[in-house]
Amino acid sequence: MTRRMADRRPAIEDSHILADYLTALAQLREGHPGVPVAATVDRVTGHLRAIMASCAESHDVTPYLSALQRLGPAT
């Protein structure tokens, strides 16, 4: 997936997917603070960094950088 980012434009759908994931994660953290989320946060962080590296020269990476900041620590 991330290798193809260089060949396509980031779309508004990316922002929707990220927003939905971040909302679900925030609700989980708030409602069930003991549930381990480190694995999913680490995985998404890795994907976002790979996407940013693939498209940084040709696309605005602000949505991905913003999502990384909102993810917070894995724990």
Side-chain angles (χ1 to χ4, degrees), residues 1-8 50-51 54-55:
M1 174 183 104
T2 55
R3 283 179 276 156
R4 292 183 295 183
M5 280 301 295
D7 298 331
R8 77 169 197 56
I51 290 168
S54 294
C55 68

Side-chain angles (χ1 to χ4, degrees), residues 1-6 8 10 14 18 44-71:
M1 174 183 104
T2 55
R3 283 179 276 156
R4 292 183 295 183
M5 280 301 295
R8 77 169 197 56
D14 296 341
L18 289 171
V44 170
T45 296
H47 286 305
L48 290 173
R49 288 181 187 201
I51 290 168
M52 287 173 50
S54 294
C55 68
E57 290 185 25
S58 57
H59 302 296
D60 178 18
V61 297
T62 303
Y64 308 105
L65 183 58
S66 176
L68 277 173
Q69 293 169 346
R70 287 184 57 202
L71 273 173

Side-chain angles (χ1 to χ4, degrees), residues 11-27:
I12 194 67
E13 288 80 9
D14 296 341
S15 295
H16 296 306
I17 292 167
L18 289 171
D20 289 347
Y21 171 78
L22 293 168
T23 298
L25 182 63
Q27 290 173 344

